[in-house]
Amino acid sequence: MTTDIRARVRAIVAEQAMVDPSDVTEDQTPADLGVDSMGLVEAIFAIEEEFDIRVPFNANEPTKSGFDISSVGAIVAAVERLVAEQKG
Amino acid sequence: MRRVVITGAGTVNALGTDVAATMEAMREGRSGIGPLDLPDADRLTIRIGAQVRGHDPAAHFDRQRIAMLDRYAQFALMAAGQAVAQAGLTFDGALADRSGVILGTSGGGLITQDDSYREVYAHGKNRVHPFVVPRLMNSAAAAQIAMAHNLMGPSFTVSSACASSNHAIAQAVQMIRTGMAPVMLTGGAEAMLCFGGVKAWEGLRVMSNDTCRPFCATRSGMVQGEGAGVFVLEERDHARARGAEILAEIAGVAMTSDAFDIVMPSQRGAERAMARALADAGLDAGDVAYVNAHGTATAANDRIESAAIGRVFGARTDGLMVSSTKSMHGHCIGATGAIELLACIMALRDGVVAPTANFVAPDPECPLDVVPNKARQARVTACLSNAFAFGGMNAVLALRAV
């Protein structure tokens, strides 16, 4: 399950960054991958659709949204937590 | 060059159903933002807005007319009626022949669309009301105003998202300046507070779920509003010849495009618009005491608008009052510039500068006197009204007291 979520999140981020999923590493930030704020909003939408979850995120105060977007690994962890909370 | 003055004003918005009530709320720093009351609100993530409450179409229009009028057109007609009554004009003969109406709107009859789509898609109906098209047209409100007041000159709708009203007003000003029309009705109308209208905005993740706090360190985004603002613009000599009361002069207009990004604003585009409006009006930065900001309370707009104001006004930024009345009437999208023009008229005529409500703490990235929470008495002889839309389409109006 955890591996599955990781792969699916990485695929979504890779699609947004227009790179191969194998080129996405856990320590990269969205900015490292060339994903801007609107790209991030679209990636979060894709995550919500993929996992059928609701992601709290306000682009005006990204650090206060309770959804850690500081790196790909952080996003994976945040999605794992939301899936456990909302689908568990 | 012919000069353009305002001789009538009307409005419907969350703060009031006329100019007096709206200005009173602005003087008191009272916000019209509250819980959204609309169908399926429980399925929205964003559940606040600045709604026009208690609007009863039957109190203003008969049954036959209501069937033809989306909510946005009702607001437009109500505002236009107030403005024409104040101006004391009757349009007939040559005046009717050449006077027109240019209105701004972004969504047009969006509620009509939303309701009709719900019928055919959600409820599986195979029939919609026969007047869906004449209600939802983006030009419907302008056409209805022309019909109501016998305006037979240039009439159409301008749509540039959140700058629609200011672009519309700028067009009307230019038409009077060139002599194409002696009188123009202009402004904007919007009624986007329906399930689809809010759902679309919440997807962008730029909306606040508590309230609208422009230029505040703790700002959390936009809050949608709705309503209309309509003005009678008149060639100055025409107004003087008939002894009309002049509310203010629209001394300058400017329009620029960022040619940059569909959602992110550009500081340079905003600077160019403000500087050109000043130049068009023959004003120096030092003449201007007040700027009615675009001030959406998004992180990006307020930071970039503050920087742009700092660049245009330079050393004059100290002592300049800048407020965003969106903190009170919400972001009325295509109507917002028209409603905000009322704050400019209040500053010029009454010497009262509307505050930025809901303000908690200054943001070092917005180093302006934002007139926090309390209206201020001040002598204002010239002011600017900013509108910076998605798509980087900017329109700034420069007003002068008379």
Side-chain angles (χ1 to χ4, degrees), chain A residues 48 54-55 57-61, chain B residues 45 205-207 220-221 298-299:
Chain A
E48 288 185 318
R54 208 177 133 250
V55 175
F57 182 77
N58 181 337
N60 294 296
E61 38 188 13
Chain B
T45 303
R205 308 272 183 163
V206 297
M207 310 301 286
S220 51
T298 60

Side-chain angles (χ1 to χ4, degrees), chain B residues 90-140:
Chain B
T90 303
F91 294 95
D92 52 24
L95 184 65
D97 185 50
R98 294 176 59 218
S99 301
V101 49
I102 302 178
L103 216 60
T105 190
S106 186
L110 198 76
I111 290 176
T112 296
Q113 295 198 43
D114 200 56
D115 288 347
S116 303
Y117 283 142
R118 183 184 275 109
E119 290 300 310
V120 293
Y121 294 143
H123 298 160
K125 290 204 177 171
N126 285 324
R127 190 183 301 126
V128 295
H129 192 279
F131 304 154
V132 165
V133 169
R135 276 205 300 246
L136 68 73
M137 300 189 303
N138 278 45
S139 52

Side-chain angles (χ1 to χ4, degrees), chain B residues 1-4 173 175-181 235-236:
Chain B
M1 188 173 69
R2 294 177 186 85
R3 291 169 69 168
V4 180
V173 166
M175 285 188 177
I176 293 173
R177 282 176 168 181
T178 61
M180 185 183 280
E235 197 270 317
R236 187 178 64 164

